[in-house]
Amino acid sequence: MTTQKVANSFFDLHITGLGYLNRIREVTPKRGDAFWACDIAALNGPTDDVSYTRFDCRVSGREAEKLVKRCQQAVDMKRKVLIGFKLGDLWTDTFIYSRGEKAGQTGVSLKARLLFISWIKIDAEMVYQAPRHDEQGVDNDSPAGTAEQPEASNGYAATHPGEAAGSFDSPAMH
């Protein structure tokens, strides 16, 4: 009798959408390595009566971390940072409110990993568009009304005709 090692298989559950980036922070746990985290207020429902679902996210992956860090100053300045995103590994965490009118009540937080950022708008201006990965079937979740952007030589898409999105690295963003 021979034994074969069966590879683990997974069923991925991803959440894609658009939402506002908030509370960007570096978390240093007592055990383990430090990591970056953020909140996303995801838009859902009809456009004339939008609702928000809040996700507390651990930023996963080098590219997502780099993009979130670049947005930190804009978020700290209370600018509107809207992103197209993909989340994975959704789970819930319960907690007890410690203050306010809900003090003593149980609350639920939706937690997830921020896996991918497909685009970023700061105060309605497109500052980043991820390159398309059609061969892998990745959907960039482009916001309505945003035309397909040509890719610039630096790996970023152009934000305006004749302008490379590398301007996202401008001093105003640091």
Side-chain angles (χ1 to χ4, degrees):
M1 182 166 133
T2 60
T3 53
Q4 290 181 315
K5 189 168 186 156
V6 178
N8 288 339
S9 297
F10 296 93
F11 293 103
D12 290 332
L13 174 62
H14 290 153
I15 300 164
T16 58
L18 59 122
Y20 291 100
L21 197 56
N22 297 295
R23 274 188 29 158
I24 298 171
R25 64 217 180 267
E26 186 173 17
V27 178
T28 307
K30 291 180 183 177
R31 294 182 184 168
D33 297 328
F35 61 91
W36 283 85
C38 64
D39 287 357
I40 297 174
L43 286 77
N44 62 46
T47 57
D48 60 348
D49 188 22
V50 174
S51 296
Y52 297 91
T53 300
R54 187 182 155 284
F55 294 96
D56 184 10
C57 300
R58 178 180 182 140
V59 181
S60 296
R62 219 175 328 207
E63 187 66 18
E65 183 179 311
K66 181 173 71 172
L67 292 168
V68 167
K69 285 179 182 180
R70 285 181 173 176
C71 293
Q72 186 167 17
Q73 183 179 8
V75 168
D76 291 347
M77 293 171 57
K78 306 287 188 228
R79 296 177 70 190
K80 292 183 179 186
V81 180
L82 185 67
I83 65 171
F85 62 82
K86 182 182 290 186
L87 306 178
D89 300 330
L90 179 68
W91 61 285
T92 59
D93 188 27
T94 58
F95 62 92
I96 305 294
Y97 286 98
S98 60
R99 56 185 176 262
E101 63 183 54
K102 293 183 179 182
Q105 294 180 22
T106 301
V108 177
S109 176
L110 294 175
K111 307 269 188 173
R113 288 187 319 134
L114 175 58
L115 303 173
F116 181 72
I117 297 174
S118 53
W119 52 267
I120 301 170
K121 283 186 173 186
I122 298 178
D123 293 332
E125 181 183 346
M126 182 70 73
V127 296
Y128 171 79
Q129 179 84 36
R132 288 195 69 78
H133 297 301
D134 288 331
E135 66 277 1
Q136 296 175 355
V138 173
D139 179 7
N140 285 331
D141 302 319
S142 294
T146 301
E148 188 65 32
Q149 304 289 334
E151 186 175 334
S153 61
N154 63 2
Y156 289 79
T159 56
H160 299 289
E163 174 183 309
S167 63
F168 184 50
D169 290 319
S170 69
M173 290 299 299
H174 295 287

